[in-house]
Amino acid sequence: MTVLYIILLAIVQGITEFLPVSSFGHLCFLQNFLGMEHGSGVLLETMLHLGTLAAIFMTFQKDIRHLAFEALDMFMDLIGNANLYIHNRRTGDQLHYTRIISNVYRKFVVLLLVSMIPTVFLGYAARRLVSVSATSVLIPGAGILVTGILLLVIDLSRVGGTKAAKDAHFSDAMWIGICQGLSVFPGLSRSGLTISAGLMSGFSRTFAVKYSYILSIPAIIGAMIMELGQFGSADMTVGLGFAYVFGMIIAAVVGMFAIRTCLRLVHKGKFRYFAYYCFLAGFIALITNSAL
C-alpha cells in the first residue's frame, strides 16, 4: 500500500508542480488524509520535487545551458580580476579589470543569486517548523486559501509589465527570493508567490514564469542535499528508499508530459481560475480537518 500511496503522490506532484496551487500543500494533505507516516521528514516531497526538475531542465534547457556557461565564465573573470588587483598593487600598473556583468545572461545569473540569499536564510531558519506543519491538515488548507486570495488579487489588479532580465533590479530579485523562502510552508504555492512577485515587480508574464521555474532549481537541489541524511534515519528502510526513488521517476515522467500544457495555462490563462481551485481545495482541507 505504501508503494501505491507514493505513486499517487508522485502523479499529483507531477501535475501540480507547474500550477500555482501548491504541490507541497497537496502532498501534505494527501499524506495526512491517507494516514501516511512523516517519519522521514519532508524527504519524500523533496524526492518528488527532484523528479520534476527533469521536466524543468527539458523545457528551459537552452536558458539553463547559457546560465551555467556564463556563471562559470563569471567565476573565472572574478579570479582574473583578483590576480589583476594583486598585480596592480605590486607593480603600480593600471591594468583594466574585466567587466563581470557584461551581458543579459550574466545579469540573469546575478539576479538568481540575489534571490537565493533570502530563500536559503528563510528555508533553513524555518526547517523544523515546516516539518511540524507538514503533519497538519489545517496548515496546508489555510496556506492554499492564502495562495488563492493572492492569485485573485493579482488577477483583478492586472499587474505586470515588460521587464526582462536586462531591466530587472536587484531589489526585485530580493523580493522574489523572500516569497520563495516563505513558500517552504505547505499550502503556500512557490510558483504562485514567485510569479506574483515577479508580476508585481513589473516583469513580463513570460519572464516571470521563466524566472520562477529556473529559480526553483537551486532551491530544490539545496533542499535535497539537506534531506539526504534522512536516508540513514531509523525510519528509513531499503524498500522505502527504493519506493521514494520510484516515486521520483514517476513524478519526472508525469511532469515532462504535463509541463508544456501547465506553462501554457500559467502564461495565457487567468489566475482567477487557479484562485477558485485553491479556494475549493483549501475549504475541503479545512472541512476534512474539522471532521477528523
PDB file of all heavy atoms in Angstrom, residues 122-156:
ATOM      1  N   LEU A 122      15.608  31.908   4.965  1.00  0.00           N
ATOM      2  CA  LEU A 122      14.272  31.583   5.464  1.00  0.00           C
ATOM      3  C   LEU A 122      14.032  30.080   5.475  1.00  0.00           C
ATOM      4  O   LEU A 122      13.433  29.539   6.403  1.00  0.00           O
ATOM      5  CB  LEU A 122      13.213  32.272   4.604  1.00  0.00           C
ATOM      6  CG  LEU A 122      13.141  33.796   4.706  1.00  0.00           C
ATOM      7  CD1 LEU A 122      12.174  34.367   3.681  1.00  0.00           C
ATOM      8  CD2 LEU A 122      12.730  34.219   6.113  1.00  0.00           C
ATOM      9  N   GLY A 123      14.503  29.379   4.434  1.00  0.00           N
ATOM     10  CA  GLY A 123      14.305  27.938   4.362  1.00  0.00           C
ATOM     11  C   GLY A 123      15.007  27.201   5.481  1.00  0.00           C
ATOM     12  O   GLY A 123      14.442  26.285   6.094  1.00  0.00           O
ATOM     13  N   TYR A 124      16.236  27.619   5.800  1.00  0.00           N
ATOM     14  CA  TYR A 124      16.978  26.953   6.873  1.00  0.00           C
ATOM     15  C   TYR A 124      16.400  27.304   8.241  1.00  0.00           C
ATOM     16  O   TYR A 124      16.263  26.439   9.111  1.00  0.00           O
ATOM     17  CB  TYR A 124      18.447  27.353   6.809  1.00  0.00           C
ATOM     18  CG  TYR A 124      19.298  26.655   7.858  1.00  0.00           C
ATOM     19  CD1 TYR A 124      19.734  25.360   7.653  1.00  0.00           C
ATOM     20  CD2 TYR A 124      19.642  27.303   9.043  1.00  0.00           C
ATOM     21  CE1 TYR A 124      20.498  24.707   8.601  1.00  0.00           C
ATOM     22  CE2 TYR A 124      20.403  26.662   9.997  1.00  0.00           C
ATOM     23  CZ  TYR A 124      20.841  25.364   9.779  1.00  0.00           C
ATOM     24  OH  TYR A 124      21.586  24.723  10.728  1.00  0.00           O
ATOM     25  N   ALA A 125      16.037  28.570   8.431  1.00  0.00           N
ATOM     26  CA  ALA A 125      15.527  29.002   9.727  1.00  0.00           C
ATOM     27  C   ALA A 125      14.193  28.334  10.070  1.00  0.00           C
ATOM     28  O   ALA A 125      13.909  28.049  11.233  1.00  0.00           O
ATOM     29  CB  ALA A 125      15.376  30.527   9.745  1.00  0.00           C
ATOM     30  N   ALA A 126      13.383  28.069   9.035  1.00  0.00           N
ATOM     31  CA  ALA A 126      12.036  27.526   9.270  1.00  0.00           C
ATOM     32  C   ALA A 126      11.967  26.016   9.053  1.00  0.00           C
ATOM     33  O   ALA A 126      10.871  25.453   9.034  1.00  0.00           O
ATOM     34  CB  ALA A 126      11.042  28.219   8.348  1.00  0.00           C
ATOM     35  N   ARG A 127      13.116  25.363   8.947  1.00  0.00           N
ATOM     36  CA  ARG A 127      13.138  23.950   8.570  1.00  0.00           C
ATOM     37  C   ARG A 127      12.346  23.065   9.535  1.00  0.00           C
ATOM     38  O   ARG A 127      11.530  22.244   9.115  1.00  0.00           O
ATOM     39  CB  ARG A 127      14.589  23.482   8.491  1.00  0.00           C
ATOM     40  CG  ARG A 127      14.783  22.048   8.029  1.00  0.00           C
ATOM     41  CD  ARG A 127      16.242  21.831   7.652  1.00  0.00           C
ATOM     42  NE  ARG A 127      16.496  20.441   7.333  1.00  0.00           N
ATOM     43  CZ  ARG A 127      17.007  19.551   8.181  1.00  0.00           C
ATOM     44  NH1 ARG A 127      17.317  19.929   9.424  1.00  0.00           N
ATOM     45  NH2 ARG A 127      17.225  18.301   7.811  1.00  0.00           N
ATOM     46  N   ARG A 128      12.553  23.222  10.817  1.00  0.00           N
ATOM     47  CA  ARG A 128      11.846  22.393  11.794  1.00  0.00           C
ATOM     48  C   ARG A 128      10.366  22.725  11.836  1.00  0.00           C
ATOM     49  O   ARG A 128       9.516  21.830  11.963  1.00  0.00           O
ATOM     50  CB  ARG A 128      12.469  22.578  13.175  1.00  0.00           C
ATOM     51  CG  ARG A 128      13.896  22.023  13.287  1.00  0.00           C
ATOM     52  CD  ARG A 128      14.401  22.105  14.710  1.00  0.00           C
ATOM     53  NE  ARG A 128      15.742  21.542  14.833  1.00  0.00           N
ATOM     54  CZ  ARG A 128      16.426  21.477  15.973  1.00  0.00           C
ATOM     55  NH1 ARG A 128      15.889  21.961  17.101  1.00  0.00           N
ATOM     56  NH2 ARG A 128      17.626  20.955  15.994  1.00  0.00           N
ATOM     57  N   LEU A 129      10.042  24.000  11.729  1.00  0.00           N
ATOM     58  CA  LEU A 129       8.648  24.409  11.744  1.00  0.00           C
ATOM     59  C   LEU A 129       7.903  23.862  10.530  1.00  0.00           C
ATOM     60  O   LEU A 129       6.734  23.477  10.627  1.00  0.00           O
ATOM     61  CB  LEU A 129       8.551  25.935  11.778  1.00  0.00           C
ATOM     62  CG  LEU A 129       7.151  26.545  11.926  1.00  0.00           C
ATOM     63  CD1 LEU A 129       6.476  26.038  13.187  1.00  0.00           C
ATOM     64  CD2 LEU A 129       7.236  28.066  11.935  1.00  0.00           C
ATOM     65  N   VAL A 130       8.593  23.787   9.389  1.00  0.00           N
ATOM     66  CA  VAL A 130       7.979  23.239   8.181  1.00  0.00           C
ATOM     67  C   VAL A 130       7.672  21.760   8.368  1.00  0.00           C
ATOM     68  O   VAL A 130       6.609  21.273   7.963  1.00  0.00           O
ATOM     69  CB  VAL A 130       8.908  23.447   6.967  1.00  0.00           C
ATOM     70  CG1 VAL A 130       8.382  22.682   5.746  1.00  0.00           C
ATOM     71  CG2 VAL A 130       9.021  24.930   6.636  1.00  0.00           C
ATOM     72  N   SER A 131       8.595  21.023   8.986  1.00  0.00           N
ATOM     73  CA  SER A 131       8.373  19.599   9.217  1.00  0.00           C
ATOM     74  C   SER A 131       7.158  19.364  10.106  1.00  0.00           C
ATOM     75  O   SER A 131       6.373  18.442   9.879  1.00  0.00           O
ATOM     76  CB  SER A 131       9.623  18.971   9.854  1.00  0.00           C
ATOM     77  OG  SER A 131      10.734  19.049   8.972  1.00  0.00           O
ATOM     78  N   VAL A 132       6.993  20.215  11.123  1.00  0.00           N
ATOM     79  CA  VAL A 132       5.827  20.103  12.007  1.00  0.00           C
ATOM     80  C   VAL A 132       4.556  20.475  11.251  1.00  0.00           C
ATOM     81  O   VAL A 132       3.510  19.813  11.381  1.00  0.00           O
ATOM     82  CB  VAL A 132       6.003  20.997  13.246  1.00  0.00           C
ATOM     83  CG1 VAL A 132       4.735  20.996  14.092  1.00  0.00           C
ATOM     84  CG2 VAL A 132       7.197  20.537  14.069  1.00  0.00           C
ATOM     85  N   SER A 133       4.631  21.514  10.438  1.00  0.00           N
ATOM     86  CA  SER A 133       3.463  21.966   9.685  1.00  0.00           C
ATOM     87  C   SER A 133       2.989  20.903   8.694  1.00  0.00           C
ATOM     88  O   SER A 133       1.794  20.798   8.408  1.00  0.00           O
ATOM     89  CB  SER A 133       3.789  23.250   8.918  1.00  0.00           C
ATOM     90  OG  SER A 133       4.197  24.276   9.801  1.00  0.00           O
ATOM     91  N   ALA A 134       3.933  20.122   8.170  1.00  0.00           N
ATOM     92  CA  ALA A 134       3.581  19.114   7.164  1.00  0.00           C
ATOM     93  C   ALA A 134       2.718  17.998   7.743  1.00  0.00           C
ATOM     94  O   ALA A 134       2.073  17.265   6.993  1.00  0.00           O
ATOM     95  CB  ALA A 134       4.853  18.524   6.551  1.00  0.00           C
ATOM     96  N   THR A 135       2.705  17.849   9.068  1.00  0.00           N
ATOM     97  CA  THR A 135       1.912  16.785   9.688  1.00  0.00           C
ATOM     98  C   THR A 135       0.482  17.220   9.965  1.00  0.00           C
ATOM     99  O   THR A 135      -0.314  16.453  10.486  1.00  0.00           O
ATOM    100  CB  THR A 135       2.565  16.351  11.017  1.00  0.00           C
ATOM    101  OG1 THR A 135       2.582  17.465  11.929  1.00  0.00           O
ATOM    102  CG2 THR A 135       3.995  15.870  10.778  1.00  0.00           C
ATOM    103  N   SER A 136       0.147  18.462   9.628  1.00  0.00           N
ATOM    104  CA  SER A 136      -1.180  19.001   9.893  1.00  0.00           C
ATOM    105  C   SER A 136      -1.989  19.099   8.601  1.00  0.00           C
ATOM    106  O   SER A 136      -1.431  19.317   7.529  1.00  0.00           O
ATOM    107  CB  SER A 136      -1.068  20.388  10.541  1.00  0.00           C
ATOM    108  OG  SER A 136      -2.312  21.047  10.562  1.00  0.00           O
ATOM    109  N   VAL A 137      -3.293  18.928   8.710  1.00  0.00           N
ATOM    110  CA  VAL A 137      -4.190  19.174   7.577  1.00  0.00           C
ATOM    111  C   VAL A 137      -4.635  20.633   7.573  1.00  0.00           C
ATOM    112  O   VAL A 137      -4.881  21.226   6.517  1.00  0.00           O
ATOM    113  CB  VAL A 137      -5.424  18.248   7.641  1.00  0.00           C
ATOM    114  CG1 VAL A 137      -6.371  18.529   6.489  1.00  0.00           C
ATOM    115  CG2 VAL A 137      -4.985  16.786   7.613  1.00  0.00           C
ATOM    116  N   LEU A 138      -4.706  21.233   8.765  1.00  0.00           N
ATOM    117  CA  LEU A 138      -5.186  22.606   8.899  1.00  0.00           C
ATOM    118  C   LEU A 138      -4.259  23.602   8.209  1.00  0.00           C
ATOM    119  O   LEU A 138      -4.713  24.473   7.458  1.00  0.00           O
ATOM    120  CB  LEU A 138      -5.328  22.956  10.382  1.00  0.00           C
ATOM    121  CG  LEU A 138      -5.729  24.398  10.711  1.00  0.00           C
ATOM    122  CD1 LEU A 138      -7.106  24.702  10.132  1.00  0.00           C
ATOM    123  CD2 LEU A 138      -5.699  24.630  12.217  1.00  0.00           C
ATOM    124  N   ILE A 139      -2.949  23.476   8.448  1.00  0.00           N
ATOM    125  CA  ILE A 139      -1.997  24.458   7.919  1.00  0.00           C
ATOM    126  C   ILE A 139      -1.932  24.437   6.393  1.00  0.00           C
ATOM    127  O   ILE A 139      -1.993  25.498   5.751  1.00  0.00           O
ATOM    128  CB  ILE A 139      -0.613  24.259   8.561  1.00  0.00           C
ATOM    129  CG1 ILE A 139      -0.695  24.566  10.055  1.00  0.00           C
ATOM    130  CG2 ILE A 139       0.433  25.144   7.875  1.00  0.00           C
ATOM    131  CD1 ILE A 139       0.600  24.372  10.809  1.00  0.00           C
ATOM    132  N   PRO A 140      -1.799  23.258   5.739  1.00  0.00           N
ATOM    133  CA  PRO A 140      -1.828  23.265   4.271  1.00  0.00           C
ATOM    134  C   PRO A 140      -3.116  23.844   3.708  1.00  0.00           C
ATOM    135  O   PRO A 140      -3.092  24.574   2.706  1.00  0.00           O
ATOM    136  CB  PRO A 140      -1.676  21.779   3.913  1.00  0.00           C
ATOM    137  CG  PRO A 140      -0.978  21.176   5.076  1.00  0.00           C
ATOM    138  CD  PRO A 140      -1.503  21.917   6.273  1.00  0.00           C
ATOM    139  N   GLY A 141      -4.258  23.538   4.348  1.00  0.00           N
ATOM    140  CA  GLY A 141      -5.526  24.078   3.871  1.00  0.00           C
ATOM    141  C   GLY A 141      -5.563  25.589   3.965  1.00  0.00           C
ATOM    142  O   GLY A 141      -5.994  26.280   3.026  1.00  0.00           O
ATOM    143  N   ALA A 142      -5.118  26.128   5.101  1.00  0.00           N
ATOM    144  CA  ALA A 142      -5.088  27.578   5.267  1.00  0.00           C
ATOM    145  C   ALA A 142      -4.111  28.218   4.286  1.00  0.00           C
ATOM    146  O   ALA A 142      -4.384  29.290   3.721  1.00  0.00           O
ATOM    147  CB  ALA A 142      -4.699  27.925   6.709  1.00  0.00           C
ATOM    148  N   GLY A 143      -2.966  27.561   4.066  1.00  0.00           N
ATOM    149  CA  GLY A 143      -1.983  28.081   3.125  1.00  0.00           C
ATOM    150  C   GLY A 143      -2.517  28.132   1.706  1.00  0.00           C
ATOM    151  O   GLY A 143      -2.267  29.104   0.967  1.00  0.00           O
ATOM    152  N   ILE A 144      -3.261  27.114   1.286  1.00  0.00           N
ATOM    153  CA  ILE A 144      -3.847  27.101  -0.054  1.00  0.00           C
ATOM    154  C   ILE A 144      -4.861  28.226  -0.208  1.00  0.00           C
ATOM    155  O   ILE A 144      -4.958  28.868  -1.261  1.00  0.00           O
ATOM    156  CB  ILE A 144      -4.484  25.728  -0.347  1.00  0.00           C
ATOM    157  CG1 ILE A 144      -3.398  24.652  -0.440  1.00  0.00           C
ATOM    158  CG2 ILE A 144      -5.279  25.767  -1.647  1.00  0.00           C
ATOM    159  CD1 ILE A 144      -3.936  23.248  -0.611  1.00  0.00           C
ATOM    160  N   LEU A 145      -5.627  28.504   0.858  1.00  0.00           N
ATOM    161  CA  LEU A 145      -6.585  29.618   0.811  1.00  0.00           C
ATOM    162  C   LEU A 145      -5.852  30.956   0.651  1.00  0.00           C
ATOM    163  O   LEU A 145      -6.292  31.818  -0.122  1.00  0.00           O
ATOM    164  CB  LEU A 145      -7.431  29.638   2.082  1.00  0.00           C
ATOM    165  CG  LEU A 145      -8.496  28.543   2.208  1.00  0.00           C
ATOM    166  CD1 LEU A 145      -9.204  28.661   3.553  1.00  0.00           C
ATOM    167  CD2 LEU A 145      -9.501  28.621   1.070  1.00  0.00           C
ATOM    168  N   VAL A 146      -4.746  31.120   1.374  1.00  0.00           N
ATOM    169  CA  VAL A 146      -3.952  32.350   1.243  1.00  0.00           C
ATOM    170  C   VAL A 146      -3.428  32.485  -0.186  1.00  0.00           C
ATOM    171  O   VAL A 146      -3.443  33.578  -0.773  1.00  0.00           O
ATOM    172  CB  VAL A 146      -2.791  32.350   2.253  1.00  0.00           C
ATOM    173  CG1 VAL A 146      -1.837  33.512   1.979  1.00  0.00           C
ATOM    174  CG2 VAL A 146      -3.322  32.424   3.679  1.00  0.00           C
ATOM    175  N   THR A 147      -2.972  31.365  -0.757  1.00  0.00           N
ATOM    176  CA  THR A 147      -2.500  31.380  -2.144  1.00  0.00           C
ATOM    177  C   THR A 147      -3.623  31.808  -3.087  1.00  0.00           C
ATOM    178  O   THR A 147      -3.408  32.609  -4.007  1.00  0.00           O
ATOM    179  CB  THR A 147      -1.977  29.987  -2.551  1.00  0.00           C
ATOM    180  OG1 THR A 147      -0.858  29.641  -1.727  1.00  0.00           O
ATOM    181  CG2 THR A 147      -1.552  29.977  -4.011  1.00  0.00           C
ATOM    182  N   GLY A 148      -4.830  31.279  -2.859  1.00  0.00           N
ATOM    183  CA  GLY A 148      -5.969  31.649  -3.695  1.00  0.00           C
ATOM    184  C   GLY A 148      -6.284  33.127  -3.625  1.00  0.00           C
ATOM    185  O   GLY A 148      -6.570  33.769  -4.655  1.00  0.00           O
ATOM    186  N   ILE A 149      -6.235  33.689  -2.425  1.00  0.00           N
ATOM    187  CA  ILE A 149      -6.501  35.128  -2.259  1.00  0.00           C
ATOM    188  C   ILE A 149      -5.470  35.945  -3.033  1.00  0.00           C
ATOM    189  O   ILE A 149      -5.809  36.909  -3.732  1.00  0.00           O
ATOM    190  CB  ILE A 149      -6.491  35.507  -0.763  1.00  0.00           C
ATOM    191  CG1 ILE A 149      -7.666  34.840  -0.047  1.00  0.00           C
ATOM    192  CG2 ILE A 149      -6.549  37.024  -0.598  1.00  0.00           C
ATOM    193  CD1 ILE A 149      -7.632  35.004   1.464  1.00  0.00           C
ATOM    194  N   LEU A 150      -4.184  35.546  -2.920  1.00  0.00           N
ATOM    195  CA  LEU A 150      -3.117  36.263  -3.623  1.00  0.00           C
ATOM    196  C   LEU A 150      -3.328  36.207  -5.131  1.00  0.00           C
ATOM    197  O   LEU A 150      -3.207  37.226  -5.836  1.00  0.00           O
ATOM    198  CB  LEU A 150      -1.761  35.679  -3.252  1.00  0.00           C
ATOM    199  CG  LEU A 150      -0.558  36.240  -4.020  1.00  0.00           C
ATOM    200  CD1 LEU A 150      -0.390  37.723  -3.720  1.00  0.00           C
ATOM    201  CD2 LEU A 150       0.714  35.479  -3.664  1.00  0.00           C
ATOM    202  N   LEU A 151      -3.642  35.027  -5.651  1.00  0.00           N
ATOM    203  CA  LEU A 151      -3.831  34.875  -7.094  1.00  0.00           C
ATOM    204  C   LEU A 151      -5.016  35.703  -7.586  1.00  0.00           C
ATOM    205  O   LEU A 151      -4.956  36.297  -8.674  1.00  0.00           O
ATOM    206  CB  LEU A 151      -4.042  33.399  -7.440  1.00  0.00           C
ATOM    207  CG  LEU A 151      -2.852  32.465  -7.205  1.00  0.00           C
ATOM    208  CD1 LEU A 151      -3.237  31.018  -7.519  1.00  0.00           C
ATOM    209  CD2 LEU A 151      -1.654  32.887  -8.046  1.00  0.00           C
ATOM    210  N   LEU A 152      -6.078  35.757  -6.800  1.00  0.00           N
ATOM    211  CA  LEU A 152      -7.250  36.538  -7.195  1.00  0.00           C
ATOM    212  C   LEU A 152      -6.919  38.030  -7.215  1.00  0.00           C
ATOM    213  O   LEU A 152      -7.332  38.754  -8.131  1.00  0.00           O
ATOM    214  CB  LEU A 152      -8.408  36.263  -6.239  1.00  0.00           C
ATOM    215  CG  LEU A 152      -9.767  36.867  -6.627  1.00  0.00           C
ATOM    216  CD1 LEU A 152     -10.211  36.354  -7.987  1.00  0.00           C
ATOM    217  CD2 LEU A 152     -10.807  36.555  -5.563  1.00  0.00           C
ATOM    218  N   VAL A 153      -6.165  38.487  -6.223  1.00  0.00           N
ATOM    219  CA  VAL A 153      -5.756  39.894  -6.188  1.00  0.00           C
ATOM    220  C   VAL A 153      -4.885  40.230  -7.396  1.00  0.00           C
ATOM    221  O   VAL A 153      -5.057  41.273  -8.044  1.00  0.00           O
ATOM    222  CB  VAL A 153      -5.007  40.203  -4.877  1.00  0.00           C
ATOM    223  CG1 VAL A 153      -4.371  41.592  -4.933  1.00  0.00           C
ATOM    224  CG2 VAL A 153      -5.954  40.115  -3.682  1.00  0.00           C
ATOM    225  N   ILE A 154      -3.941  39.336  -7.709  1.00  0.00           N
ATOM    226  CA  ILE A 154      -3.059  39.559  -8.853  1.00  0.00           C
ATOM    227  C   ILE A 154      -3.868  39.623 -10.148  1.00  0.00           C
ATOM    228  O   ILE A 154      -3.618  40.461 -11.025  1.00  0.00           O
ATOM    229  CB  ILE A 154      -2.006  38.431  -8.944  1.00  0.00           C
ATOM    230  CG1 ILE A 154      -1.018  38.537  -7.780  1.00  0.00           C
ATOM    231  CG2 ILE A 154      -1.265  38.487 -10.273  1.00  0.00           C
ATOM    232  CD1 ILE A 154      -0.184  39.800  -7.783  1.00  0.00           C
ATOM    233  N   ASP A 155      -4.865  38.746 -10.278  1.00  0.00           N
ATOM    234  CA  ASP A 155      -5.673  38.712 -11.486  1.00  0.00           C
ATOM    235  C   ASP A 155      -6.518  39.972 -11.628  1.00  0.00           C
ATOM    236  O   ASP A 155      -6.575  40.584 -12.697  1.00  0.00           O
ATOM    237  CB  ASP A 155      -6.572  37.475 -11.474  1.00  0.00           C
ATOM    238  CG  ASP A 155      -7.384  37.332 -12.751  1.00  0.00           C
ATOM    239  OD1 ASP A 155      -6.861  36.741 -13.709  1.00  0.00           O
ATOM    240  OD2 ASP A 155      -8.525  37.820 -12.787  1.00  0.00           O
ATOM    241  N   LEU A 156      -7.163  40.375 -10.550  1.00  0.00           N
ATOM    242  CA  LEU A 156      -8.054  41.532 -10.615  1.00  0.00           C
ATOM    243  C   LEU A 156      -7.289  42.844 -10.781  1.00  0.00           C
ATOM    244  O   LEU A 156      -7.779  43.784 -11.412  1.00  0.00           O
ATOM    245  CB  LEU A 156      -8.925  41.589  -9.357  1.00  0.00           C
ATOM    246  CG  LEU A 156      -9.913  40.430  -9.175  1.00  0.00           C
ATOM    247  CD1 LEU A 156     -10.672  40.576  -7.866  1.00  0.00           C
ATOM    248  CD2 LEU A 156     -10.893  40.356 -10.353  1.00  0.00           C
TER     249      LEU A 156
END
